[in-house]
Amino acid sequence: SNPCSLKLPVVTRWASIVMCLDSLQKNKIFLKALAIDDVYQDLLEKRNISNILDEDIFWKRTESFLKILQPLKKWITILESDKSGRISAVVEAFHDIEEILKKELPVSPLLKNEEHKVLKAVEDRKELCFKCIHYAANILDPKYKGNFRLT
């Protein structure tokens, strides 16, 4: 992995959470080396050292959350873009997000009630966002031709 600077999430930018988790993953080996180095151990809190060295919980959760959140970041970026933001892509976005969630949530370290909250949040957002115009635009767009059907 290519190291990069560690990123902190910004309250006003939802996608910054993904960038924060990604920067952790990219610096995993360096963080682990820091956590076991006698010179730097006093600079880190004990719980941070425990987390950094915890492959089974901390790093697996980080990786799992990235797999779940990256498609959301991808589609938010695409749909907010002046260049590619089209209402016809909203149908494809939700289809892609739902497919990723179906694949990743069952193998994620989330508890069942947490999984339910994620699915409910996506479903609530879909109900809020979707209008007939999105389906019509998707059907009329030569790129999509109405190929995606949402459940």
Side-chain angles (χ1 to χ4, degrees):
S1 67
N2 295 333
C4 66
S5 63
L6 291 172
K7 313 257 187 304
L8 291 174
V10 181
V11 175
T12 57
R13 301 299 303 167
W14 186 90
S16 68
I17 294 168
V18 176
M19 293 188 305
C20 173
L21 293 174
D22 188 50
S23 72
L24 273 175
Q25 281 291 109
K26 288 180 177 173
N27 286 288
K28 178 179 172 179
I29 192 166
F30 303 107
L31 291 167
K32 283 184 164 192
L34 184 70
I36 60 170
D37 191 307
D38 292 337
V39 175
Y40 299 106
Q41 274 189 341
D42 293 339
L43 299 175
L44 297 172
E45 292 181 28
K46 295 278 186 234
R47 71 175 183 181
N48 291 337
I49 292 172
S50 295
N51 283 336
I52 290 168
L53 297 176
D54 189 343
E55 191 65 43
D56 287 335
I57 296 175
F58 181 78
W59 291 109
K60 283 186 179 175
R61 286 178 71 89
T62 301
E63 183 180 344
S64 180
F65 294 152
L66 265 173
K67 286 179 182 176
I68 292 167
L69 296 173
Q70 279 175 325
L72 300 175
K73 176 187 178 271
K74 172 188 126 182
W75 281 110
I76 288 170
T77 304
I78 289 170
L79 295 173
E80 287 180 342
S81 166
D82 290 337
K83 292 180 182 177
S84 62
R86 288 186 243 159
I87 64 170
S88 61
V90 173
V91 177
E92 182 178 350
F94 275 98
H95 175 78
D96 186 43
I97 290 165
E98 288 175 340
E99 289 300 308
I100 295 287
L101 292 178
K102 281 181 200 171
K103 178 183 166 198
E104 295 299 334
L105 281 177
V107 296
S108 78
L110 290 173
L111 301 173
K112 289 296 173 199
N113 69 328
E114 293 171 323
E115 281 183 42
H116 177 71
K117 286 179 184 178
V118 169
L119 292 171
K120 175 103 173 78
V122 171
E123 188 60 35
D124 289 349
R125 180 58 55 171
K126 186 168 87 172
E127 283 181 28
L128 178 71
C129 290
F130 260 80
K131 307 293 180 235
C132 291
I133 192 72
H134 294 104
Y135 290 112
N138 185 268
I139 290 167
L140 296 171
D141 189 326
K143 182 177 179 182
Y144 303 119
K145 299 177 189 169
N147 288 329
F148 292 107
R149 292 187 155 241
L150 295 171
T151 55

mmCIF file with all atom_site columns, all heavy atoms in Angstrom, residues 135-150:
data_model
loop_
_atom_site.group_PDB
_atom_site.id
_atom_site.type_symbol
_atom_site.label_atom_id
_atom_site.label_alt_id
_atom_site.label_comp_id
_atom_site.label_asym_id
_atom_site.label_entity_id
_atom_site.label_seq_id
_atom_site.pdbx_PDB_ins_code
_atom_site.Cartn_x
_atom_site.Cartn_y
_atom_site.Cartn_z
_atom_site.occupancy
_atom_site.B_iso_or_equiv
_atom_site.pdbx_formal_charge
_atom_site.auth_seq_id
_atom_site.auth_comp_id
_atom_site.auth_asym_id
_atom_site.auth_atom_id
_atom_site.pdbx_PDB_model_num
ATOM 1   N N   . TYR A 1 135 ? -36.775 7.632  -12.619 1.00 0.00 ? 135 TYR A N   1
ATOM 2   C CA  . TYR A 1 135 ? -37.004 6.448  -13.450 1.00 0.00 ? 135 TYR A CA  1
ATOM 3   C C   . TYR A 1 135 ? -37.131 6.835  -14.922 1.00 0.00 ? 135 TYR A C   1
ATOM 4   O O   . TYR A 1 135 ? -36.564 6.186  -15.801 1.00 0.00 ? 135 TYR A O   1
ATOM 5   C CB  . TYR A 1 135 ? -38.266 5.711  -13.008 1.00 0.00 ? 135 TYR A CB  1
ATOM 6   C CG  . TYR A 1 135 ? -38.133 5.021  -11.680 1.00 0.00 ? 135 TYR A CG  1
ATOM 7   C CD1 . TYR A 1 135 ? -38.841 5.465  -10.571 1.00 0.00 ? 135 TYR A CD1 1
ATOM 8   C CD2 . TYR A 1 135 ? -37.305 3.907  -11.535 1.00 0.00 ? 135 TYR A CD2 1
ATOM 9   C CE1 . TYR A 1 135 ? -38.730 4.826  -9.345  1.00 0.00 ? 135 TYR A CE1 1
ATOM 10  C CE2 . TYR A 1 135 ? -37.185 3.269  -10.312 1.00 0.00 ? 135 TYR A CE2 1
ATOM 11  C CZ  . TYR A 1 135 ? -37.898 3.734  -9.228  1.00 0.00 ? 135 TYR A CZ  1
ATOM 12  O OH  . TYR A 1 135 ? -37.779 3.094  -8.020  1.00 0.00 ? 135 TYR A OH  1
ATOM 13  N N   . ALA A 1 136 ? -37.886 7.898  -15.180 1.00 0.00 ? 136 ALA A N   1
ATOM 14  C CA  . ALA A 1 136 ? -38.071 8.344  -16.565 1.00 0.00 ? 136 ALA A CA  1
ATOM 15  C C   . ALA A 1 136 ? -36.736 8.734  -17.180 1.00 0.00 ? 136 ALA A C   1
ATOM 16  O O   . ALA A 1 136 ? -36.432 8.350  -18.316 1.00 0.00 ? 136 ALA A O   1
ATOM 17  C CB  . ALA A 1 136 ? -39.049 9.524  -16.606 1.00 0.00 ? 136 ALA A CB  1
ATOM 18  N N   . ALA A 1 137 ? -35.919 9.472  -16.437 1.00 0.00 ? 137 ALA A N   1
ATOM 19  C CA  . ALA A 1 137 ? -34.606 9.887  -16.953 1.00 0.00 ? 137 ALA A CA  1
ATOM 20  C C   . ALA A 1 137 ? -33.727 8.675  -17.213 1.00 0.00 ? 137 ALA A C   1
ATOM 21  O O   . ALA A 1 137 ? -33.012 8.620  -18.218 1.00 0.00 ? 137 ALA A O   1
ATOM 22  C CB  . ALA A 1 137 ? -33.940 10.839 -15.965 1.00 0.00 ? 137 ALA A CB  1
ATOM 23  N N   . ASN A 1 138 ? -33.793 7.674  -16.329 1.00 0.00 ? 138 ASN A N   1
ATOM 24  C CA  . ASN A 1 138 ? -32.991 6.466  -16.495 1.00 0.00 ? 138 ASN A CA  1
ATOM 25  C C   . ASN A 1 138 ? -33.422 5.686  -17.736 1.00 0.00 ? 138 ASN A C   1
ATOM 26  O O   . ASN A 1 138 ? -32.592 5.161  -18.472 1.00 0.00 ? 138 ASN A O   1
ATOM 27  C CB  . ASN A 1 138 ? -33.086 5.597  -15.236 1.00 0.00 ? 138 ASN A CB  1
ATOM 28  C CG  . ASN A 1 138 ? -32.188 4.392  -15.287 1.00 0.00 ? 138 ASN A CG  1
ATOM 29  O OD1 . ASN A 1 138 ? -32.606 3.331  -15.711 1.00 0.00 ? 138 ASN A OD1 1
ATOM 30  N ND2 . ASN A 1 138 ? -30.954 4.561  -14.857 1.00 0.00 ? 138 ASN A ND2 1
ATOM 31  N N   . ILE A 1 139 ? -34.723 5.610  -17.962 1.00 0.00 ? 139 ILE A N   1
ATOM 32  C CA  . ILE A 1 139 ? -35.241 4.897  -19.135 1.00 0.00 ? 139 ILE A CA  1
ATOM 33  C C   . ILE A 1 139 ? -34.850 5.615  -20.425 1.00 0.00 ? 139 ILE A C   1
ATOM 34  O O   . ILE A 1 139 ? -34.465 4.987  -21.412 1.00 0.00 ? 139 ILE A O   1
ATOM 35  C CB  . ILE A 1 139 ? -36.776 4.749  -19.039 1.00 0.00 ? 139 ILE A CB  1
ATOM 36  C CG1 . ILE A 1 139 ? -37.114 3.757  -17.917 1.00 0.00 ? 139 ILE A CG1 1
ATOM 37  C CG2 . ILE A 1 139 ? -37.384 4.310  -20.363 1.00 0.00 ? 139 ILE A CG2 1
ATOM 38  C CD1 . ILE A 1 139 ? -38.576 3.758  -17.502 1.00 0.00 ? 139 ILE A CD1 1
ATOM 39  N N   . LEU A 1 140 ? -34.902 6.939  -20.417 1.00 0.00 ? 140 LEU A N   1
ATOM 40  C CA  . LEU A 1 140 ? -34.630 7.723  -21.618 1.00 0.00 ? 140 LEU A CA  1
ATOM 41  C C   . LEU A 1 140 ? -33.145 7.925  -21.898 1.00 0.00 ? 140 LEU A C   1
ATOM 42  O O   . LEU A 1 140 ? -32.767 8.221  -23.028 1.00 0.00 ? 140 LEU A O   1
ATOM 43  C CB  . LEU A 1 140 ? -35.326 9.087  -21.525 1.00 0.00 ? 140 LEU A CB  1
ATOM 44  C CG  . LEU A 1 140 ? -36.851 9.027  -21.495 1.00 0.00 ? 140 LEU A CG  1
ATOM 45  C CD1 . LEU A 1 140 ? -37.424 10.405 -21.191 1.00 0.00 ? 140 LEU A CD1 1
ATOM 46  C CD2 . LEU A 1 140 ? -37.396 8.480  -22.801 1.00 0.00 ? 140 LEU A CD2 1
ATOM 47  N N   . ASP A 1 141 ? -32.294 7.774  -20.891 1.00 0.00 ? 141 ASP A N   1
ATOM 48  C CA  . ASP A 1 141 ? -30.856 7.964  -21.070 1.00 0.00 ? 141 ASP A CA  1
ATOM 49  C C   . ASP A 1 141 ? -30.293 6.780  -21.857 1.00 0.00 ? 141 ASP A C   1
ATOM 50  O O   . ASP A 1 141 ? -30.400 5.635  -21.425 1.00 0.00 ? 141 ASP A O   1
ATOM 51  C CB  . ASP A 1 141 ? -30.176 8.067  -19.705 1.00 0.00 ? 141 ASP A CB  1
ATOM 52  C CG  . ASP A 1 141 ? -28.713 8.478  -19.793 1.00 0.00 ? 141 ASP A CG  1
ATOM 53  O OD1 . ASP A 1 141 ? -28.027 8.104  -20.772 1.00 0.00 ? 141 ASP A OD1 1
ATOM 54  O OD2 . ASP A 1 141 ? -28.245 9.172  -18.867 1.00 0.00 ? 141 ASP A OD2 1
ATOM 55  N N   . PRO A 1 142 ? -29.665 7.040  -23.028 1.00 0.00 ? 142 PRO A N   1
ATOM 56  C CA  . PRO A 1 142 ? -29.118 5.931  -23.833 1.00 0.00 ? 142 PRO A CA  1
ATOM 57  C C   . PRO A 1 142 ? -28.044 5.123  -23.105 1.00 0.00 ? 142 PRO A C   1
ATOM 58  O O   . PRO A 1 142 ? -27.811 3.964  -23.425 1.00 0.00 ? 142 PRO A O   1
ATOM 59  C CB  . PRO A 1 142 ? -28.515 6.622  -25.055 1.00 0.00 ? 142 PRO A CB  1
ATOM 60  C CG  . PRO A 1 142 ? -28.873 8.052  -24.978 1.00 0.00 ? 142 PRO A CG  1
ATOM 61  C CD  . PRO A 1 142 ? -29.471 8.328  -23.654 1.00 0.00 ? 142 PRO A CD  1
ATOM 62  N N   . LYS A 1 143 ? -27.423 5.719  -22.110 1.00 0.00 ? 143 LYS A N   1
ATOM 63  C CA  . LYS A 1 143 ? -26.395 5.007  -21.339 1.00 0.00 ? 143 LYS A CA  1
ATOM 64  C C   . LYS A 1 143 ? -27.013 3.898  -20.491 1.00 0.00 ? 143 LYS A C   1
ATOM 65  O O   . LYS A 1 143 ? -26.424 2.849  -20.297 1.00 0.00 ? 143 LYS A O   1
ATOM 66  C CB  . LYS A 1 143 ? -25.649 6.005  -20.449 1.00 0.00 ? 143 LYS A CB  1
ATOM 67  C CG  . LYS A 1 143 ? -24.528 5.399  -19.636 1.00 0.00 ? 143 LYS A CG  1
ATOM 68  C CD  . LYS A 1 143 ? -23.799 6.472  -18.847 1.00 0.00 ? 143 LYS A CD  1
ATOM 69  C CE  . LYS A 1 143 ? -22.688 5.876  -18.023 1.00 0.00 ? 143 LYS A CE  1
ATOM 70  N NZ  . LYS A 1 143 ? -21.997 6.882  -17.226 1.00 0.00 ? 143 LYS A NZ  1
ATOM 71  N N   . TYR A 1 144 ? -28.214 4.109  -19.951 1.00 0.00 ? 144 TYR A N   1
ATOM 72  C CA  . TYR A 1 144 ? -28.834 3.160  -19.037 1.00 0.00 ? 144 TYR A CA  1
ATOM 73  C C   . TYR A 1 144 ? -30.001 2.389  -19.645 1.00 0.00 ? 144 TYR A C   1
ATOM 74  O O   . TYR A 1 144 ? -30.185 1.215  -19.359 1.00 0.00 ? 144 TYR A O   1
ATOM 75  C CB  . TYR A 1 144 ? -29.310 3.878  -17.766 1.00 0.00 ? 144 TYR A CB  1
ATOM 76  C CG  . TYR A 1 144 ? -28.201 4.606  -17.061 1.00 0.00 ? 144 TYR A CG  1
ATOM 77  C CD1 . TYR A 1 144 ? -28.258 5.986  -16.879 1.00 0.00 ? 144 TYR A CD1 1
ATOM 78  C CD2 . TYR A 1 144 ? -27.091 3.935  -16.588 1.00 0.00 ? 144 TYR A CD2 1
ATOM 79  C CE1 . TYR A 1 144 ? -27.234 6.661  -16.236 1.00 0.00 ? 144 TYR A CE1 1
ATOM 80  C CE2 . TYR A 1 144 ? -26.067 4.604  -15.952 1.00 0.00 ? 144 TYR A CE2 1
ATOM 81  C CZ  . TYR A 1 144 ? -26.139 5.969  -15.771 1.00 0.00 ? 144 TYR A CZ  1
ATOM 82  O OH  . TYR A 1 144 ? -25.132 6.639  -15.140 1.00 0.00 ? 144 TYR A OH  1
ATOM 83  N N   . LYS A 1 145 ? -30.822 3.055  -20.441 1.00 0.00 ? 145 LYS A N   1
ATOM 84  C CA  . LYS A 1 145 ? -31.985 2.440  -21.088 1.00 0.00 ? 145 LYS A CA  1
ATOM 85  C C   . LYS A 1 145 ? -32.901 1.713  -20.105 1.00 0.00 ? 145 LYS A C   1
ATOM 86  O O   . LYS A 1 145 ? -33.512 0.702  -20.425 1.00 0.00 ? 145 LYS A O   1
ATOM 87  C CB  . LYS A 1 145 ? -31.545 1.480  -22.187 1.00 0.00 ? 145 LYS A CB  1
ATOM 88  C CG  . LYS A 1 145 ? -30.759 2.130  -23.295 1.00 0.00 ? 145 LYS A CG  1
ATOM 89  C CD  . LYS A 1 145 ? -30.297 1.108  -24.301 1.00 0.00 ? 145 LYS A CD  1
ATOM 90  C CE  . LYS A 1 145 ? -29.324 1.758  -25.265 1.00 0.00 ? 145 LYS A CE  1
ATOM 91  N NZ  . LYS A 1 145 ? -28.645 0.775  -26.091 1.00 0.00 ? 145 LYS A NZ  1
ATOM 92  N N   . GLY A 1 146 ? -32.932 2.207  -18.865 1.00 0.00 ? 146 GLY A N   1
ATOM 93  C CA  . GLY A 1 146 ? -33.816 1.598  -17.870 1.00 0.00 ? 146 GLY A CA  1
ATOM 94  C C   . GLY A 1 146 ? -33.443 0.198  -17.465 1.00 0.00 ? 146 GLY A C   1
ATOM 95  O O   . GLY A 1 146 ? -34.291 -0.570 -17.028 1.00 0.00 ? 146 GLY A O   1
ATOM 96  N N   . ASN A 1 147 ? -32.156 -0.158 -17.589 1.00 0.00 ? 147 ASN A N   1
ATOM 97  C CA  . ASN A 1 147 ? -31.733 -1.529 -17.286 1.00 0.00 ? 147 ASN A CA  1
ATOM 98  C C   . ASN A 1 147 ? -31.766 -1.891 -15.818 1.00 0.00 ? 147 ASN A C   1
ATOM 99  O O   . ASN A 1 147 ? -31.767 -3.059 -15.467 1.00 0.00 ? 147 ASN A O   1
ATOM 100 C CB  . ASN A 1 147 ? -30.324 -1.779 -17.819 1.00 0.00 ? 147 ASN A CB  1
ATOM 101 C CG  . ASN A 1 147 ? -30.310 -1.890 -19.329 1.00 0.00 ? 147 ASN A CG  1
ATOM 102 O OD1 . ASN A 1 147 ? -31.277 -2.338 -19.914 1.00 0.00 ? 147 ASN A OD1 1
ATOM 103 N ND2 . ASN A 1 147 ? -29.224 -1.465 -19.952 1.00 0.00 ? 147 ASN A ND2 1
ATOM 104 N N   . PHE A 1 148 ? -31.773 -0.908 -14.916 1.00 0.00 ? 148 PHE A N   1
ATOM 105 C CA  . PHE A 1 148 ? -31.755 -1.213 -13.488 1.00 0.00 ? 148 PHE A CA  1
ATOM 106 C C   . PHE A 1 148 ? -33.146 -1.126 -12.920 1.00 0.00 ? 148 PHE A C   1
ATOM 107 O O   . PHE A 1 148 ? -33.875 -0.183 -13.170 1.00 0.00 ? 148 PHE A O   1
ATOM 108 C CB  . PHE A 1 148 ? -30.828 -0.255 -12.734 1.00 0.00 ? 148 PHE A CB  1
ATOM 109 C CG  . PHE A 1 148 ? -29.391 -0.476 -13.085 1.00 0.00 ? 148 PHE A CG  1
ATOM 110 C CD1 . PHE A 1 148 ? -28.718 0.422  -13.886 1.00 0.00 ? 148 PHE A CD1 1
ATOM 111 C CD2 . PHE A 1 148 ? -28.715 -1.582 -12.624 1.00 0.00 ? 148 PHE A CD2 1
ATOM 112 C CE1 . PHE A 1 148 ? -27.382 0.211  -14.213 1.00 0.00 ? 148 PHE A CE1 1
ATOM 113 C CE2 . PHE A 1 148 ? -27.390 -1.797 -12.942 1.00 0.00 ? 148 PHE A CE2 1
ATOM 114 C CZ  . PHE A 1 148 ? -26.729 -0.893 -13.746 1.00 0.00 ? 148 PHE A CZ  1
ATOM 115 N N   . ARG A 1 149 ? -33.510 -2.128 -12.155 1.00 0.00 ? 149 ARG A N   1
ATOM 116 C CA  . ARG A 1 149 ? -34.796 -2.124 -11.454 1.00 0.00 ? 149 ARG A CA  1
ATOM 117 C C   . ARG A 1 149 ? -34.468 -2.236 -9.976  1.00 0.00 ? 149 ARG A C   1
ATOM 118 O O   . ARG A 1 149 ? -33.754 -3.131 -9.560  1.00 0.00 ? 149 ARG A O   1
ATOM 119 C CB  . ARG A 1 149 ? -35.652 -3.299 -11.869 1.00 0.00 ? 149 ARG A CB  1
ATOM 120 C CG  . ARG A 1 149 ? -36.110 -3.181 -13.279 1.00 0.00 ? 149 ARG A CG  1
ATOM 121 C CD  . ARG A 1 149 ? -37.102 -4.289 -13.579 1.00 0.00 ? 149 ARG A CD  1
ATOM 122 N NE  . ARG A 1 149 ? -37.905 -3.772 -14.661 1.00 0.00 ? 149 ARG A NE  1
ATOM 123 C CZ  . ARG A 1 149 ? -39.196 -3.581 -14.581 1.00 0.00 ? 149 ARG A CZ  1
ATOM 124 N NH1 . ARG A 1 149 ? -39.832 -3.858 -13.481 1.00 0.00 ? 149 ARG A NH1 1
ATOM 125 N NH2 . ARG A 1 149 ? -39.864 -3.112 -15.597 1.00 0.00 ? 149 ARG A NH2 1
ATOM 126 N N   . LEU A 1 150 ? -34.999 -1.329 -9.225  1.00 0.00 ? 150 LEU A N   1
ATOM 127 C CA  . LEU A 1 150 ? -34.767 -1.350 -7.788  1.00 0.00 ? 150 LEU A CA  1
ATOM 128 C C   . LEU A 1 150 ? -35.856 -2.143 -7.097  1.00 0.00 ? 150 LEU A C   1
ATOM 129 O O   . LEU A 1 150 ? -37.002 -2.129 -7.531  1.00 0.00 ? 150 LEU A O   1
ATOM 130 C CB  . LEU A 1 150 ? -34.713 0.070  -7.234  1.00 0.00 ? 150 LEU A CB  1
ATOM 131 C CG  . LEU A 1 150 ? -33.539 0.891  -7.746  1.00 0.00 ? 150 LEU A CG  1
ATOM 132 C CD1 . LEU A 1 150 ? -33.679 2.329  -7.324  1.00 0.00 ? 150 LEU A CD1 1
ATOM 133 C CD2 . LEU A 1 150 ? -32.238 0.322  -7.214  1.00 0.00 ? 150 LEU A CD2 1
#
